[in-house]
Amino acid sequence: EAATNWGAAMSFTYQAYVEILDGFGTNWGFSPSDMISNIAGIGFFLGQHYWPFLQNFTPKANYFPPSWFGSNSRQASSSFIDDYSGYTFMLSANVHNLLPNSIASYWPKWLNLGIGYTARNLTFKNGDRKYLLGLDITPAMVLPDGPPLWNWIKQSLNYILLPLPTIEFSDKEGPKFNLFYPFRISIG
């Protein structure tokens, strides 16, 4: 109980520090939406502790250099941490646990569905917004158990979004299917 609450308090303190520091940066600025998102993220993890139903939903993310899939890096990004054009975020739902018992046995325990968001070719004000619907897996249910360090790694992999089949929706283009999102694979 104490670890959960202290973890939330320390996370808020660090994230608030970063946002306030951004407010004094010449190329950045304090972002109210970032601060609200930080608080929502902390609230979600606290919620998962106090309301077990929320454990059926896992936030996931990945980063690949934008040049690997035909996009441009974010303008004025000095490192991958600031290169938001390379990030993809998804909320993965454990479908097996959410289905009624009568049909849950037909859905693999490790296979999830996710909804996500990314923005490509970002400038300071604009970017190509993309909304995602895709498959996801729970690595901890697929990989074998082992020594404590391996089990920690296996559990940590649950927060990494793997390149899997995803449909991408955007304002500028119609839906696009990607077998290994965000990579576009051509056949022929």
Side-chain angles (χ1 to χ4, degrees):
E1 190 80 18
T4 299
N5 294 326
W6 276 107
M10 291 170 54
S11 295
F12 174 77
T13 301
Y14 177 72
Q15 291 172 345
Y17 162 76
V18 169
E19 288 306 321
I20 291 168
L21 199 62
D22 280 355
F24 292 101
T26 55
N27 291 331
W28 305 108
F30 180 81
S31 172
S33 62
D34 282 1
M35 194 65 176
I36 291 168
S37 296
N38 293 341
I39 293 168
I42 293 166
F44 181 75
F45 280 102
L46 281 172
Q48 284 186 312
H49 178 75
Y50 291 107
W51 298 287
F53 175 78
L54 292 179
Q55 293 174 13
N56 291 308
F57 304 94
T58 305
K60 297 190 174 199
N62 69 23
Y63 173 83
F64 292 103
S67 61
W68 289 14
F69 49 84
S71 288
N72 297 319
S73 291
R74 180 181 182 212
Q75 289 181 359
S77 62
S78 57
S79 72
F80 80 94
I81 293 172
D82 296 329
D83 189 5
Y84 301 153
S85 287
Y87 285 97
T88 303
F89 300 96
M90 187 171 279
L91 186 63
S92 179
N94 184 333
V95 176
H96 179 82
N97 286 355
L98 297 172
L99 289 172
N101 290 339
S102 60
I103 58 174
S105 62
Y106 297 104
W107 190 275
K109 290 181 180 181
W110 51 267
L111 184 61
N112 301 332
L113 290 177
I115 56 171
Y117 176 80
T118 189
R120 305 293 188 215
N121 303 312
L122 287 168
T123 63
F124 279 111
K125 300 279 183 190
N126 299 311
D128 301 331
R129 294 177 187 217
K130 309 218 181 256
Y131 303 93
L132 312 169
L133 177 63
L135 295 177
D136 186 41
I137 64 169
T138 304
M141 292 184 163
V142 177
L143 299 171
D145 284 337
L149 177 61
W150 168 248
N151 289 336
W152 177 83
I153 291 169
K154 186 173 79 162
Q155 291 294 325
S156 297
L157 290 173
N158 284 338
Y159 298 100
I160 297 174
L161 180 60
L162 301 173
L164 291 168
T166 301
I167 300 172
E168 175 186 274
F169 303 90
S170 72
D171 297 332
K172 297 181 179 182
E173 303 170 0
K176 288 186 180 178
F177 175 77
N178 292 280
L179 189 58
F180 298 105
Y181 190 85
F183 306 105
R184 301 198 193 294
I185 296 179
S186 299
I187 298 175

